[in-house]
Each structure stands twice: as structure tokens, then as C-alpha cells.
Amino acid sequence: MAAREPIGVIGTGYVGLVTAAGFAELGSDVYCVDIDADKVQRLEQGEIPIYEPGLEELIARNRERLHFSTDISEALNHARLLFVAVGTPPTYSGDADLSAVHAVVNSMPVSDHHALVMKSTVPAGTGQSIKRLFQQTGKDQFRYVSCPEFLKEGSAVKDFLHPDRVVIGDDGDWAGDAVAELYSPLDAPQVRTDINSAEMVKLASNAFLATKISFINEIANVCEETGADVVEVAKGMGLDDRIGPKFLQAGLGFGGSCFPKDVTALKQLAGNSGYHFQLLNSVIEVNELQKRRVMGKLQKHLGSLVGKRVGLLGLAFKPNTDDMREATSLVLSARLQAAGATVVAYDPIAETEARKLITGVEFAPGALEVVKDADAVVLVTEWDEFKSLDFTAVAAAMNGDLLIDGRNALDPEAVRAAGLTYEGVGRGH
């Protein structure tokens, strides 16, 4: 493959590492920068600090094109495009914390041949404020491009190499053209627009998907009252091509590093501008309540949870990741313990991360150890291995017989045939 333009990537988290490995796969030398010296050392030794299917193999295959350092000067010396992939976590007010972004901006030299390419999710208007900052510090020749990421944890490598679209917001200069050229081998639709609109595309996309999830969860709750089955309802809805089937899976609510943060950030952005985004308030409220509804299901069958043993199958916010940020298991484990229950849990990948965030829970080495002597079991994360469980063995190991399918991922008839009581989300009576 012919050599392509080298790039810099600032930040080696989910987005930064996948972006770096993806562009290396496309033929670019990539100069990765991170302030965490320990992480940089591990990356240089080939150790990947996150779990993401296919990423380790992609990095190993392109090892000679990937360079890791704590010093930004190497990236500046070799690359004119510097992709920014640092964290923008929510503050206590709900606004995005842009301190890491501003630290990157402040570290940039005076230059007429460099550009920052923003991959981090930032509020609309951030690009304009950064350009003002460049002007105030004599760096007005430094270019700026908004190029939001649309990577899903668990399928991020595939999403990079086969994207639905590439959004590029720029001022119509060389930097936007250079980013467009970098992405051209991927043969994806490119949306060239202004910087504010590119920033809004990311927030609006995630807010819409979160809205779909909260909507179908509301429908599921109504289905439980009317005897309808939300799985059948969603199937009928999803066949309408104006609606589509994706993100119509009812369950225990959404989590992760993106949806909760981006929905709150968009709501705050609107509020800071004097606009009350009423719909997103409801989306957030529905999601928080949904995570707690399983408590009602448990109490309906078991009565008081004091002294009861409850098993949790899965801890990560979704399958194929070890990410525990805003995971339903965090809320559920805390609520169960507050109600007097003993909680035992198993996740095939996320236990290490879970131990940092969850206290008072017994961690089991496998699914059958979780269900042993349990009065009830809750499927929290729909890992494939849970879908193929031997439910007869599960029933034999349990003390009780209640299985709550928090993701509607199991076959109700197979569960009932094993002698268990099945309770899904929105699956009627």
C-alpha cells in the first residue's frame, strides 16, 4: 500500500486508539500522544488497555506505523493534522468538561501548516471558541476541523473501516480537504458542512437514538399493563422504513460513555442558550426510572428482598465491551443491597472494571456459580453465552425459580420449559 499522509492522535482511549489503528490500516504513520506515561509504555509493549473486539489484532498488524509518546513535539514534527480524542466528561452541572480539550489547544505552537481535527464530542460552538482562543494567542493561522466520531463500543473497528457517513465541518480551507482525502478510501458518504453543524450532528444523533430507546421502554411499560408483547410491537413498528428496527429493543435502559453524557450535554447546551429542551428531560427521566423498575418485578414475586440472594448475569453496559460507565448494574446492585438482598454477579469481560465501581457484591467465576442458591436471577447484559445457557441446569442450581430477562434476549418458552418463572420487559402477563 502506498504511503499516505502521516497524522497525530492526541489521546489513546477508545476513540483515539481505534482512530489511530484505523488510519494505520489505511496506510498512514500515526503519532499517538497521551499524558499517561504508564499507558504509553504499555502500548509500546503491545499491551492494549481496553477491551474492543478486533482492536488488538489491528494494532499488531500495523505496529510499524504506530508510534506512542508522551511528548507532543513528535506528532507536530511529523504530522500537520492532529486528531483530538481526549475525554469530555460531564461536570456536576451537566455541561461537558472541556479542560482536556483546552489543554491541547494551549499546547499548540504558532503555526500556519497545522490543524486540530476534533474527534472528541464537544458542544456546538466549541470550534468557534477555540478559533477565538487561537486568535487571542497569535495562533490564528492554526486551522480547525470538526470530525465527530460515530464509533459504537463493541464494534468500533468495524464502524471505523465501514462507516455510515463521515461528517467534516470546516471553513473551506486545506484542512477540511486533507481530512476528506484521509477518509476517501473508506468509500462512505461525506457530509461537508460548517463547524457548528458538524458538532450538532453528533449530539443530535445520539440524543435521537436515546429517545428511541426511552420511547420503546415507555411502550414496554404500557404493554405490561395491557397484556401486549413489546417484542411483537417493536417488530411491527420496525418494518415501517420511516421508523426502522434499530434501537427498538426494550430493556433496563441505556448506559455507556456516550448516550447519557451527550443527551445531558445537549439539554444543557439548550438550557444555557435559554431554551428548555423538554423532550430530552423526559428521555433522561424515563431511562433512570427504567433501571429501577426491575426492583418492582423482584418484589412482586419475592415480597421483601431482605435476606434474598439475587444473581446478576452481566455487568457491562452492553455486550462486547468492558465499559462500566453509566451501566444499569451499578444502579441495580446498589438498590438491591439497600433493600437487604445479597448480590452475586458475573461478567465475562468487565469484572476488573466493575470491581473499581461496585462494592458489597460477590463476584462469581461463571454463570452457573451466579445462579447457585439464588432466589432470583436478572439478565442485565445480553452476552451471547447467557443466551445459550442450559436452563434446566440453571433451574436445578437455583433456590428459587424467578428469572428476569432484563434485555428480552432469552427464549421465554425455553426458560419456562425448564421449570423457571420468566419475566421480561414489556412482555405482557
Side-chain angles (χ1 to χ4, degrees), residues 18-100:
V18 173
T19 299
F23 278 125
E25 176 79 357
L26 296 179
S28 290
D29 266 86
V30 183
Y31 295 85
C32 303
V33 185
D34 201 289
I35 59 172
D36 186 336
D38 179 58
K39 183 194 282 189
V40 166
Q41 185 177 25
R42 286 157 58 200
L43 285 165
E44 285 179 327
Q45 294 168 352
E47 185 182 337
I48 312 305
I50 58 174
Y51 176 81
E52 182 62 42
L55 180 58
E56 189 171 354
E57 294 84 350
L58 193 65
I59 289 176
R61 187 160 68 241
N62 295 284
R63 189 66 191 84
E64 74 284 355
R65 293 196 187 106
L66 290 163
H67 315 273
F68 300 98
S69 177
T70 56
D71 184 357
I72 204 166
S73 61
E74 190 175 5
L76 287 164
N77 290 338
H78 287 92
R80 58 178 185 162
L81 296 176
L82 301 163
F83 285 76
V84 181
V86 296
T88 55
T91 62
Y92 286 116
S93 68
D95 297 290
D97 180 355
L98 298 180
S99 56

Side-chain angles (χ1 to χ4, degrees), residues 121-364:
T121 301
V122 295
T126 300
Q128 297 302 327
S129 67
I130 287 175
K131 289 199 299 180
R132 280 196 304 273
L133 196 56
F134 279 148
Q135 289 173 345
Q136 292 165 4
T137 53
K139 303 173 186 176
D140 48 322
Q141 292 303 305
F142 218 103
R143 301 292 89 195
Y144 184 89
V145 179
S146 173
C147 185
E149 56 87 13
F150 299 98
L151 306 175
K152 300 184 293 292
E153 290 181 40
S155 61
V157 170
K158 175 179 175 291
D159 292 340
F160 181 93
L161 297 173
H162 305 281
D164 298 321
R165 77 287 205 195
V166 176
V167 177
I168 301 169
D170 68 293
D171 292 321
D173 52 36
W174 67 264
D177 293 339
V179 173
E181 175 59 29
L182 268 179
Y183 277 99
S184 60
L186 297 179
D187 196 30
Q190 289 195 0
V191 179
R192 292 290 297 272
T193 185
D194 62 277
I195 292 169
N196 281 347
S197 298
E199 291 168 341
M200 186 60 81
V201 167
K202 167 66 177 190
L203 292 175
S205 295
N206 278 356
F208 182 77
L209 295 175
T211 300
K212 277 188 87 170
I213 294 171
S214 281
F215 178 82
I216 199 63
N217 280 335
E218 288 272 69
I219 294 296
N221 298 340
V222 176
C223 284
E224 291 185 358
E225 300 303 318
T226 61
D229 185 338
V230 74
V231 174
E232 298 301 315
V233 173
K235 186 188 302 179
M237 290 173 60
L239 290 170
D240 185 328
D241 62 8
R242 297 169 300 175
I243 299 173
K246 294 182 178 178
F247 291 85
L248 286 182
Q249 287 74 41
L252 299 180
F254 58 79
S257 62
C258 293
F259 283 9
K261 173 173 74 73
D262 293 352
V263 170
T264 302
L266 182 53
K267 186 194 82 161
Q268 288 296 113
L269 177 67
N272 293 343
S273 306
Y275 180 73
H276 179 60
F277 207 140
Q278 192 165 327
L279 178 61
L280 289 189
N281 280 327
S282 298
V283 168
I284 294 165
E285 183 181 2
V286 167
N287 191 57
E288 287 308 305
L289 291 173
Q290 198 69 15
K291 292 179 180 181
R292 291 163 168 78
R293 276 182 66 85
V294 71
M295 295 296 294
K297 294 177 183 293
L298 287 164
Q299 288 161 343
K300 179 179 76 173
H301 290 275
L302 302 180
S304 171
L305 298 181
V306 174
K308 298 294 195 300
R309 186 174 177 85
V310 180
L312 303 183
L313 292 173
L315 294 166
F317 89 92
K318 71 173 186 178
N320 300 317
T321 180
D322 61 352
D323 199 339
M324 287 292 298
R325 285 174 287 187
E326 301 289 336
T328 297
S329 61
L330 298 175
V331 173
L332 185 53
S333 61
R335 291 296 307 123
L336 285 166
Q337 291 181 75
T342 297
V343 182
V344 58
Y346 163 70
D347 190 287
I349 294 295
E351 181 180 328
T352 300
E353 293 302 313
R355 284 181 178 273
K356 300 174 186 176
L357 299 169
I358 295 178
T359 58
V361 169
E362 296 177 22
F363 290 94

Side-chain angles (χ1 to χ4, degrees), residues 100-123:
V101 170
H102 288 142
V104 172
V105 172
N106 292 334
S107 70
M108 292 298 108
V110 174
S111 172
D112 61 359
H113 63 278
H114 282 98
L116 283 186
V117 185
M118 189 59 62
K119 275 287 173 199
S120 300
T121 301
V122 295

